[in-house]
Amino acid sequence: MEKIIKIKNVANLDKKISSCEESLKNKFTGKNGKRSITICGGTGCISSNSKDILAEFQKQIKLENLEDKVDVNIVGCFGFCSQGPFVKIYPEDTLYHAVKVSDVKRIMDIDIKGGKIVEDLLYVDPNTNKKCQRQEDIPFYQKQMRIALHGCGTINPECIEEAFGYDAFKALKKVLTMSSQEVIDEISKSGLRGRGGGGFPTGRKWQFAKDQKNDEKYVVCNGDEGDPGAFMDRSILEGNPISVIEGMMIAGYAIGAKNGYVYVRAEYPVAVSRLKTAIKEAEEIGILGDNILGSNFSFRVHVRLGAGAFVCGEETALLNSIEGKRGMPRPRPPFPAVSGLWGKPTIINNVETFANIPYIIRVGALKFSKIGTEKSKGTKVFALGGKVKNVGLVEVPMGTTLRELIYDIGGGIPNNKQFQAIQTGGPSGGCLTINELDTPIDYDNLIAKGSMMGSGGAIVMDEDNCMVDVAKFYLEFICDESCGKCSQCRIGTKRLLEILTRITNGTATIEDIDRLDNLSHSIKVGSLCGLGQTAANPVLSTLSKFKEVYLRHIVDKKCDAGVCKDLISYVIDPNKCKKCSLCSSSCPVDAISGVVGKEPFVIDQSKCIKCGSCIASCKFKAIYKE
């Protein structure tokens, strides 16, 4: 960063924004006389060596003496995670996918120096076989709309100058000309609902806190994203942390708070580092601190790390954790808006909610409210994963159907398998089947279908998934993560898991179906917090929609998906067996016997551990599961 010049008033801010916008525009268009290389720096691409790719570009640029003609930096998540790491070249907007360190020299020689495209690094649309040079040409992006993910994959998250050039703090400037009530009214008119899972109207929550008479109030950002397979909040913090900080500042102005806390998982080191960098830069430049822009408004942001307890995603448990107490839920009322952090009025919204706030203020509540459905406005970010071709981070307008999410954006199910279900809402949600693929995604529709929005996890399952095993997986997670405060949750979920285990190992009875249902409802009504109240949802959902699968396990002792090991057998077809002994050689427990070249091989079921090594080793497809 250049010499720091403090932003002391609106005139300084206008000048800063104008300068940074011009600089960023020149970078994207090449008017600064440079080619610009941006590399995905989300956690997924970092794990695929994007930092090494960055280092190699820097090395090659230096070797070629191109420092004055080429710059290179890291940006946030591009979203299309299964195709990363991504490298984007400006001003042509050429997007290369699945880039390796060994590709860097080719990109430098062919593209940067030669002015031609490295054709084999372009994404190929599997439906048309057309090579896609630009991001907008790729079907994965064409039904998306980035609001919460604004700036992710475009700006350097560790450079506040680029954030200024990409709309940062325009909303704050506007807010400082409004009364606190006008700000809350604008958020209420927008129809924004909490993106953390509950869907509570954001404006109403802020109004409750504003109406409290207290000299000390707090704003808390919930970044404790614990759902298996979820990485929405992490990616926002990694890609544009300034947007979250600005959203918190606007919330602080609206309710009369001077301090905000971001509670984020310690397992997110990249997000934590970039968040802290953004806070430091904002403080140094004077946009965070006392008398912001010469006004009477002062605000500071603090970071608190969570130790990984799933229950700390529940807002009152999170407050306890910030206070240094054990992360366990508090009885409500009083609600946090009345008595929250250290007994003071507190609003708690999640990362995605705060990331929406600057956009709403910039464009106006009316424009935002035109996006989405009647009761669910705006967009929603999903972490789309599981048995789907295009795994990644997706932001779509509310009202987009599950079919569009899975097939148009997700590319459908790989290996020509049949879609079976999609689990939304993580451990607290439920599964939706092929009969519900045309359901518009919003808060009320998902609940009506037996699931929920949750924070945005969306796990797709195909015909090879056993739905009883899926319910068991989520119950194992819940049992591990229960804080233990409520006996219904602490003991009840363990009993549920025991029943599911009996079903999957073939020792259950038909009466266990009723036990599952009764116990699930008891846990639902008897638990203190939302996590306990929804702990049995995966059981209730799968039991409702896949009861025949449960019965098949219990009555016939069969798992048709071939997942539950105690209910399957590996069998060698004697007519297909070539008597070659490959299966016998691969068996780790000597469960397969036969005479090479003379007798078909057979599997001793009493010894077989169902590891599948025999199927993997057989070249003649003579072994199958039944």
Side-chain angles (χ1 to χ4, degrees):
M1 186 186 292
E2 300 175 2
K3 182 181 177 182
I4 297 171
I5 300 174
K6 291 276 188 179
I7 298 176
K8 298 180 180 180
N9 50 49
V10 172
N12 291 159
L13 177 63
D14 287 340
K15 185 176 180 181
K16 185 69 175 178
I17 289 174
S18 178
S19 171
C20 291
E21 284 181 337
E22 184 70 16
S23 177
L24 200 61
K25 179 182 177 182
N26 289 341
K27 170 185 171 180
F28 293 152
T29 60
K31 289 184 179 180
N32 61 357
K34 288 186 173 185
R35 304 284 296 285
S36 183
I37 303 170
T38 59
I39 301 165
C40 180
T43 291
C45 284
I46 288 175
S47 69
S48 297
N49 304 317
S50 66
K51 282 190 174 181
D52 294 334
I53 293 170
L54 172 66
E56 185 64 19
F57 268 115
Q58 292 169 332
K59 175 185 172 183
Q60 293 295 327
I61 290 169
K62 188 174 182 179
L63 284 173
E64 300 287 347
N65 295 315
L66 293 173
E67 291 95 333
D68 294 334
K69 295 182 179 180
V70 182
D71 63 36
V72 58
N73 60 48
I74 284 283
V75 295
C77 182
F78 279 82
F80 201 174
C81 301
S82 58
Q83 295 296 322
F86 284 96
V87 171
K88 195 170 190 178
I89 313 291
Y90 294 101
E92 297 83 2
D93 283 353
T94 301
L95 185 68
Y96 296 125
H97 80 115
V99 176
K100 301 184 287 292
V101 175
S102 58
D103 295 321
V104 171
K105 182 97 170 46
R106 288 199 301 137
I107 295 174
M108 289 294 298
D109 290 343
I110 297 172
D111 190 325
I112 302 301
K113 294 195 299 178
K116 297 180 180 179
I117 295 171
V118 186
E119 296 283 345
D120 62 296
L121 292 179
L122 296 179
Y123 177 79
V124 178
D125 182 349
N127 297 315
T128 63
N129 290 321
K130 179 183 177 182
K131 291 180 179 178
C132 303
Q133 181 183 348
R134 294 176 177 82
Q135 187 170 332
E136 57 266 28
D137 298 332
I138 300 174
F140 175 81
Y141 294 102
Q142 290 172 355
K143 288 194 173 184
Q144 295 194 50
M145 181 179 186
R146 286 199 162 195
I147 293 177
L149 292 173
H150 179 72
C152 295
T154 303
I155 63 172
N156 183 346
E158 298 183 359
C159 178
I160 197 170
E161 306 285 330
E162 293 204 359
F164 274 116
Y166 213 68
D167 297 324
F169 301 113
K170 290 180 180 179
L172 178 67
K173 171 191 167 183
K174 185 176 179 180
V175 158
L176 294 178
T177 67
M178 305 164 67
S179 69
S180 59
Q181 188 58 55
E182 286 174 333
V183 174
I184 292 176
D185 290 344
E186 191 74 0
I187 299 302
S188 297
K189 289 174 187 175
S190 74
L192 178 67
R193 295 171 66 174
R195 298 300 196 248
F200 191 82
T202 304
R204 193 186 307 172
K205 181 183 286 189
W206 290 16
Q207 188 71 58
F208 289 152
K210 179 187 181 298
D211 291 343
Q212 302 307 307
K213 307 299 181 184
N214 203 303
D215 293 335
E216 191 71 50
K217 298 179 182 180
Y218 295 103
V219 173
V220 173
C221 176
N222 185 349
D224 190 66
E225 185 175 51
D227 292 7
F231 54 99
M232 300 77 60
D233 294 348
R234 185 195 75 199
S235 296
I236 294 171
L237 290 173
E238 289 178 353
N240 189 1
I242 286 292
S243 68
V244 179
I245 292 169
E246 185 179 8
M248 294 177 68
M249 294 173 74
I250 293 168
Y253 180 86
I255 71 167
K258 297 179 181 178
N259 286 282
Y261 288 84
V262 183
Y263 187 89
V264 60
R265 300 178 73 81
E267 298 97 327
Y268 288 174
V270 177
V272 171
S273 174
R274 291 178 183 169
L275 177 62
K276 288 181 175 179
T277 296
I279 292 170
K280 181 182 177 183
E281 289 185 329
E283 289 174 341
E284 288 176 343
I285 211 163
I287 204 75
L288 261 181
D290 298 327
N291 304 115
I292 296 168
L293 298 181
S295 70
N296 293 324
F297 175 55
S298 300
F299 195 79
R300 296 187 182 276
V301 176
H302 315 273
V303 178
R304 292 292 182 269
L305 302 184
F310 180 65
V311 73
C312 285
E314 196 280 333
E315 60 181 18
T316 60
L318 183 152
L319 295 178
N320 276 342
S321 184
I322 292 178
E323 293 176 6
K325 302 171 185 175
R326 184 179 178 188
M328 300 177 76
R330 304 174 182 177
R332 294 177 297 179
F335 291 91
V338 176
S339 178
L341 197 58
W342 292 296
K344 305 296 183 181
T346 304
I347 58 167
I348 308 170
N349 290 117
N350 90 321
V351 169
E352 186 182 340
T353 307
F354 281 122
N356 274 279
I357 299 299
Y359 178 86
I360 293 170
I361 298 297
R362 281 198 313 269
V363 307
L366 180 61
K367 184 173 181 178
F368 181 86
S369 67
K370 290 181 179 179
I371 305 166
T373 63
E374 182 182 354
K375 294 182 179 179
S376 299
K377 304 298 185 182
T379 59
K380 182 71 189 79
V381 181
F382 289 94
L384 184 63
K387 304 291 186 65
V388 65
K389 291 178 182 176
N390 302 336
V391 172
L393 197 66
V394 175
E395 184 172 5
V396 293
M398 296 280 194
T400 300
T401 65
L402 289 170
R403 188 182 301 277
E404 290 175 298
L405 180 67
I406 296 167
Y407 289 93
D408 295 347
I409 297 172
I413 316 301
N415 304 317
N416 294 316
K417 297 287 186 176
Q418 292 296 312
F419 169 81
Q420 181 168 206
I422 179 171
Q423 177 85 11
T424 65
S428 301
C431 61
L432 301 165
T433 68
I434 193 168
N435 298 324
E436 291 141 341
L437 279 177
D438 293 311
T439 299
I441 300 169
D442 67 16
Y443 293 98
D444 304 309
N445 277 326
L446 292 185
I447 290 174
K449 298 293 184 179
S451 187
M452 63 185 293
M453 185 80 73
S455 58
I459 307 299
V460 179
M461 291 163 277
D462 68 9
E463 60 191 81
D464 292 334
N465 289 103
C466 170
M467 299 312 295
V468 181
D469 183 70
V470 167
K472 181 184 171 187
F473 165 79
Y474 282 115
L475 256 294
E476 288 172 339
F477 179 84
I478 290 292
C479 285
D480 285 343
E481 296 294 342
S482 173
C483 76
K485 186 168 187 174
C486 306
S487 59
Q488 287 90 342
C489 179
R490 181 183 70 250
I491 302 171
T493 55
K494 283 184 169 55
R495 298 293 87 83
L496 280 181
L497 180 57
E498 289 170 359
I499 297 172
L500 289 172
T501 300
R502 291 202 298 270
I503 294 174
T504 57
N505 67 21
T507 61
T509 65
I510 197 68
E511 288 77 19
D512 281 321
I513 294 287
D514 289 335
R515 293 190 184 100
L516 276 178
D517 187 67
N518 293 334
L519 186 52
S520 293
H521 285 96
S522 296
I523 295 169
K524 200 174 185 72
V525 300
S527 297
L528 174 63
C529 78
L531 298 182
Q533 291 162 9
T534 57
N537 279 2
V539 175
L540 290 170
S541 177
T542 54
L543 194 57
S544 168
K545 295 172 182 178
F546 294 94
K547 190 170 184 178
E548 72 282 358
V549 177
Y550 279 84
L551 293 173
R552 179 85 165 134
H553 279 64
I554 294 170
V555 178
D556 300 327
K557 311 299 181 188
K558 292 291 183 181
C559 175
D560 293 325
V563 173
C564 302
K565 289 185 177 182
D566 291 317
L567 302 183
I568 60 175
S569 299
Y570 287 82
V571 179
I572 300 175
D573 185 339
N575 296 317
K576 291 183 178 181
C577 180
K578 301 300 182 183
K579 311 175 186 67
C580 66
S581 83
L582 282 175
C583 58
S584 177
S585 300
S586 71
C587 181
V589 293
D590 296 325
I592 304 177
S593 60
V595 179
V596 177
K598 293 184 178 181
E599 296 179 5
F601 281 71
V602 294
I603 300 174
D604 185 341
Q605 299 298 329
S606 65
K607 292 181 179 179
C608 179
I609 59 172
K610 323 290 175 59
C611 67
S613 63
C614 55
I615 287 183
S617 67
C618 182
K619 298 179 181 180
F620 310 104
K621 298 183 179 180
I623 307 175
Y624 61 94
K625 289 188 286 186
E626 67 171 17

